[in-house]
Amino acid sequence: MPILDIEGLPTYFEATGDGPALVLLHGGIVASDSWGPWPELLAAGGYTVLTPDRRGHGGTPDVEGPITYDAMADDTVGFLRAAVGGPAHLVGWSDGAVVAALVSMRAPELVARQVLIGQYYSPDGVARPGFLASLEALRDGPLDHLRSSHASPDGPGHFRVVVGKLLDLFAREPDVDLRRFAGVTAPTLILQGDRDEATVPHGRAVAAILPAGRFAVLPGTHSLPLEAPELVSALVLEFLSGALDG
């Protein structure tokens, strides 16, 4: 089982393909296996695709105390330094997009290009507040459909504790001052579905602040990467190659 010790956090990850490093950052509650066919699709484009599980997700253990985006970004910076040792492309979906954005702000030397999929970065970007409210049912409801295939070192019973921490996180974050995106040097594609959990004006505003930002909307929901994996991954590969620069 591939494990990297990141400042005391044994981080589970898998690697697929051969070529420049491309790191997939999964969404919240689910783990890296939620990407479905993406590792193989992107590896076919000539990349080594790394898929780490963040703290409390999948095969990576939880850490005492609350889960925050800042802490997960710090973990990811450590993972990039240990697993890659230099710049990598980042593709973040949902919570993973917030983590990728924060990494590009605090460790720009580690991010070559990035694609941020289906996420808002401040409360004014929430398209459907009712969706966040509906997640509260997970505190006491069934969770088996969300469990990762990667066995948790904390045991199956701890998953509900992690879900509770993440629901607490979603109630207060993300709340990033969008002006911080002006300092992101990596070329960045903001990508979302037209029925996503982030509003189209919010995504457009973030892309406009980025020094090298692009914005794309495709038909789809918050599950856009799984609704049209071939289409979306092809767009991601085109962007990462620089073919869409202009």
Side-chain angles (χ1 to χ4, degrees):
M1 186 169 62
I3 297 288
L4 265 182
D5 187 285
I6 308 300
E7 297 187 5
L9 178 66
T11 300
Y12 178 95
F13 75 101
E14 296 182 0
T16 305
D18 184 43
L22 191 166
V23 180
L24 288 176
L25 299 174
H26 62 79
I29 300 180
V30 296
S32 59
D33 54 351
S34 64
W35 282 102
W38 273 69
E40 290 75 21
L41 289 169
L42 296 180
Y47 294 98
T48 297
V49 181
L50 303 171
T51 53
D53 286 345
R54 292 193 300 278
R55 58 171 60 194
H57 295 74
T60 299
D62 190 17
V63 175
E64 187 176 353
I67 295 176
T68 67
Y69 288 114
D70 281 332
M72 292 188 289
D74 286 342
D75 294 342
T76 304
V77 168
F79 177 82
L80 290 171
R81 288 177 174 153
V84 181
H89 297 310
L90 304 184
V91 179
W93 174 20
S94 191
D95 270 18
V98 179
V99 172
L102 292 175
V103 170
S104 70
M105 292 172 186
R106 64 186 58 183
E109 73 281 3
L110 296 178
V111 184
R113 287 174 173 258
Q114 62 180 348
V115 180
L116 311 180
I117 305 174
Q119 181 61 306
Y120 55 88
Y121 303 91
S122 58
D124 61 327
V126 177
R128 295 174 178 82
F131 173 73
L132 290 175
S134 70
L135 291 178
E136 281 295 319
L138 295 175
R139 287 192 191 272
D140 301 307
L143 298 174
D144 285 347
H145 64 297
L146 295 170
R147 292 182 187 274
S148 171
S149 62
H150 307 159
S152 170
D154 299 314
H158 191 74
F159 184 50
R160 190 170 296 280
V161 175
V162 171
V163 169
K165 290 185 179 186
L166 292 169
L167 293 176
D168 291 342
L169 170 67
F170 302 157
R172 64 179 186 269
E173 298 186 46
D175 192 4
V176 178
D177 184 338
L178 297 190
R179 292 173 294 184
R180 293 178 63 191
F181 281 94
V184 173
T185 57
T188 301
L189 173 62
I190 304 295
L191 174 62
Q192 64 182 82
D194 61 351
R195 298 181 180 179
D196 219 317
E197 300 307 323
T199 68
V200 170
H202 182 77
R204 186 181 294 115
V206 172
I209 294 168
L210 285 158
R214 300 295 297 271
F215 180 52
V217 178
L218 297 176
T221 70
H222 197 55
S223 298
L224 177 64
L226 296 183
E227 291 168 348
E230 289 81 10
L231 172 65
V232 181
S233 63
L235 176 59
V236 168
L237 287 170
E238 284 290 289
F239 177 78
L240 294 180
S241 74
L244 302 181
D245 293 353

